[in-house]
Amino acid sequence: MSELHQTALNAKHRAHGAKLVGFGGWEMPLQYEGIVKEHLRVREHAGLFDLQHMGRLRFTGPDRAAALDRFLTNDVPATKVGQARYAVITGEDGGAIDDCIYYVLPEAILLVVNASNREAVLEWIEPRLEGDVTLSDETTRWAMIAVQGPKALQIVDPLLDFDLSKLRYYRCRGGMLRGEPCFVARTGYTGEVGYELVFDAREAETMWDAILAAGAEHDLAPVGLGARDTLRLEAGMALYGHELDRETSPLEAGVD
């Protein structure tokens, strides 16, 4: 059995008393205080999630939108800068290789895929890319965390250099998080108002502590994969390997 990858926040999870498990090739927190308590915290206040295990693939070059459009069920060239979209990556038979969210930035398209399918996605897309486009796997280079829940805006907004309240659902933009470059998206996997933040993995522990401190008055606390699953299920969001898989098309899964 291969050794599990660790996120840049592994030491923080241990310090918070997390129960760690293997997930998609990574050692990840399943729970801290208990799944039910963490679930309710996100619904009533806010929760902090480590998402570095999610694959982050960056596409650059003038043909990036057209090249990626061959693999996704959404219309990539029609997606404007600053927008995010959900899509399914399909094989030649229409079966789902993975589901994903892609973010259109001024200089690139960021494709976020499931941890367990990152290698399969790379093996499917990379040799079939056409045109002037470059694909780079930046999963370990960047940390990715999420603040989800009704108090998310009050927690994250003071840490940024722009007015977060103006960022609409499924929109994204660059900015500065406590003086460090970051990418911010109003997306999530809980059904709540929330934000996903991507920044240099070397800043992960500092940012984690700063966000927890900013959220202390709003009852913010870390949340593990267990509650993330119950939250997405309650919100009616698909999970690859359950509602969607290689033998199931997006139409059959109802996520077209």
Side-chain angles (χ1 to χ4, degrees), residues 4-5 22-26 53 115-116:
L4 295 173
H5 299 290
F23 181 79
W26 294 76
H53 65 298
S116 58

Side-chain angles (χ1 to χ4, degrees), residues 100-194:
C100 63
I101 295 180
Y102 66 92
Y103 304 85
V104 180
L105 312 177
E107 74 291 348
I109 296 174
L110 180 66
L111 184 70
V112 177
V113 301
N114 286 294
S116 58
N117 291 332
R118 179 176 61 88
E119 291 184 2
V121 170
L122 283 168
E123 290 173 2
W124 176 247
I125 291 180
E126 195 163 26
R128 296 172 175 82
L129 283 174
E130 296 181 354
D132 188 355
V133 57
T134 300
L135 164 58
S136 58
D137 182 356
E138 303 195 346
T139 302
T140 57
R141 179 183 175 189
W142 303 102
M144 184 173 183
I145 63 176
V147 180
Q148 301 280 307
K151 301 296 184 180
L153 176 61
Q154 294 97 308
I155 294 167
V156 181
D157 182 62
L159 303 176
L160 293 166
D161 67 337
F162 63 89
D163 185 354
L164 188 58
S165 68
K166 297 185 182 301
L167 191 66
R168 293 182 293 160
Y169 189 48
Y170 265 69
R171 295 294 191 273
C172 57
R173 59 160 292 174
M176 301 293 286
L177 177 66
R178 298 188 75 251
E180 295 292 336
C182 73
F183 162 75
V184 185
R186 189 179 164 188
T187 49
Y189 199 45
T190 65
E192 290 291 341
V193 173

